[in-house]
Amino acid sequence: MSEYLFNRRRFLLSAAAGAAAIGLADVPSALASTGQGTTPRTGKPLAHLPIRQVRTDVLDIGYHETGPENGRPVILLHGFPYDIHSYAEVAPLLAAQGFRVIVPHLRGHGSTRFLDSATPRSGQQAALGQDVLDLMNELHIPEAVLAGYDWGGRAACVAAALRPSRCVGLVSVNGYLIQDIAKAASPLPAEVEWGLWYQHYFQTERGRAGLAANRRDIARILWRNNSPTWHFDDPTFERAAEAFDNPDYVDVVIHSYRHRMGLAEGDPNYAEAEQKLALLPALGVPTITLDGMADGVVPATDGRASAARFSGARSHRQVPGVGHNLPQEAPGVFADAVADLVHGGQWRT
């Protein structure tokens, strides 16, 4: 906790200094990207992962695929406010080991679109987990190692809880991520609540309007806050920020944060799944949990507090000097965790 507080104070001091230098009225323009889409070291365009599309019953999902089609499948799931390029280095590391690597844009991000304009733009946890299972069905993947952080880690945990037979292994940053919505009104420690300012902001209509108008500025602030030791450049941020131009981005994000607080109704199509998740089911699949020791959102732990939520084999790893976007900040560490589960997994197909 002390390292977490240190990083919080450092962020506050740097933010205060920046505000004093440029003035609050200039914050949006000061945060705007100045990059021209090239890497600072080579001057070459920053590569975008190529995208394919596949339709489920609900979504037209944009996803990146690499590695041999007959390789053991792994599905890598990104968080908010990020995109598939969190795995730009992880994916080739895993593909080089002979794995089939799938990296989808979550609903509301990138080229993923709803098929029906009448479908609720839900961001609830059951929807995210079901999207993973639907994607596996359409790609004819009976089972896979699921791995993610933030929203993606939650989607992986939910899919593993709903259909454990489809999950050979689970990598989850920050541990057990199924939400206890029944206790959402219970306050967290003040220093943790401070870091969740955007979640409280999004409960208001002003917050919705703010996200619509300032989605890039908000995301950039969160990137800096979430990972205070990660010195990302403008082209790296802008490559990911393109995913936030999705027409459903605001609706999905706002619903996600309101639903998890118990302040928005869920899509009735996921009611049965949400009832199961409300029981906070233990995860029986082999699991590796990861904590970045410089995570500016979720303080790193030794994993013991959540041990009861994992009924299967589980190991917990701490990663020094790394923040919330762990796969992009420490791709080798993340890829190793995935590979360990692939090699040690009990594959049925």
Side-chain angles (χ1 to χ4, degrees):
M1 179 67 76
S2 60
E3 183 173 357
Y4 168 76
L5 290 174
F6 172 77
N7 288 329
R8 285 279 186 230
R9 294 188 185 102
R10 180 168 59 184
F11 177 80
L12 276 171
L13 290 172
S14 63
I22 64 176
L24 291 176
D26 295 327
V27 167
S29 60
L31 292 175
S33 171
T34 57
Q36 298 300 315
T38 60
T39 62
R41 290 188 297 273
T42 67
K44 296 180 180 178
L46 195 62
H48 285 64
L49 296 177
I51 298 296
R52 302 178 182 182
Q53 298 290 138
V54 65
R55 288 194 170 198
T56 68
D57 289 342
V58 177
L59 299 170
D60 183 10
I61 298 177
Y63 69 99
H64 172 67
E65 180 170 349
T66 186
E69 189 173 351
N70 63 349
R72 294 298 193 190
V74 300
I75 299 178
L76 309 178
L77 301 156
H78 69 82
F80 166 85
Y82 305 94
D83 86 322
I84 61 172
H85 293 96
S86 288
Y87 296 105
E89 293 181 60
V90 173
L93 289 174
L94 294 173
Q97 297 183 58
F99 307 148
R100 181 185 181 188
V101 184
I102 309 293
V103 193
H105 277 295
L106 300 188
R107 54 172 55 201
H109 294 73
S111 61
T112 295
R113 298 288 190 274
F114 288 85
L115 299 180
D116 189 340
S117 61
T119 301
R121 270 39 178 176
S122 171
Q124 67 195 92
Q125 60 180 346
L128 298 177
Q130 188 60 50
D131 289 346
V132 176
L133 297 171
D134 291 345
L135 174 66
M136 293 174 67
N137 290 341
E138 294 304 323
L139 295 180
H140 307 291
I141 297 174
E143 56 186 350
V145 168
L146 306 179
Y149 69 101
D150 197 84
W151 283 29
R154 178 164 299 109
C157 287
V158 168
L162 296 179
R163 295 294 302 275
S165 64
R166 308 292 299 275
C167 181
V168 172
L170 170 69
V171 176
S172 179
V173 177
N174 301 132
Y176 184 87
L177 294 180
I178 295 175
Q179 296 159 342
D180 189 357
I181 297 175
K183 295 183 179 178
S186 300
L188 297 169
E191 67 272 13
V192 178
E193 295 279 26
W194 180 91
L196 302 179
W197 65 269
Y198 60 99
Q199 298 191 23
H200 302 298
Y201 180 52
F202 292 159
Q203 305 308 312
T204 69
E205 286 308 297
R206 176 170 175 161
R208 176 190 287 275
L211 181 63
N214 305 309
R215 63 191 73 190
R216 275 173 165 75
D217 293 343
I218 289 172
R220 187 183 287 270
I221 290 169
L222 292 178
W223 277 38
R224 290 173 174 169
N225 192 18
N226 294 352
S227 301
T229 60
W230 181 39
H231 304 297
F232 60 89
D233 55 39
D234 285 342
T236 298
F237 174 79
E238 284 299 325
R239 179 177 61 175
E242 292 175 13
F244 313 152
D245 294 330
N246 184 298
D248 302 308
Y249 177 78
V250 173
D251 287 342
V252 169
V253 169
I254 293 298
H255 184 265
S256 175
Y257 287 107
R258 292 183 181 181
H259 184 270
R260 72 182 62 191
M261 294 285 192
L263 299 176
E265 295 293 329
D267 182 339
N269 290 311
Y270 303 108
E272 183 177 349
E274 289 290 354
Q275 290 175 0
K276 182 174 182 178
L277 298 173
L279 300 176
L280 302 180
L283 300 177
V285 303
T287 299
I288 296 173
T289 53
L290 302 169
D291 270 343
M293 297 297 288
D295 192 319
V297 184
V298 182
T301 73
D302 60 10
R304 287 183 292 181
S306 62
R309 299 298 181 193
F310 299 94
S311 59
R314 180 256 190 146
S315 65
H316 183 70
R317 303 174 183 180
Q318 295 180 330
V319 188
V322 170
H324 195 63
N325 184 7
L326 196 148
Q328 196 162 4
E329 298 176 60
V333 172
F334 196 92
D336 285 347
V338 174
D340 287 348
L341 290 172
V342 175
H343 291 307
Q346 298 297 313
W347 296 87
R348 294 171 291 276
T349 57

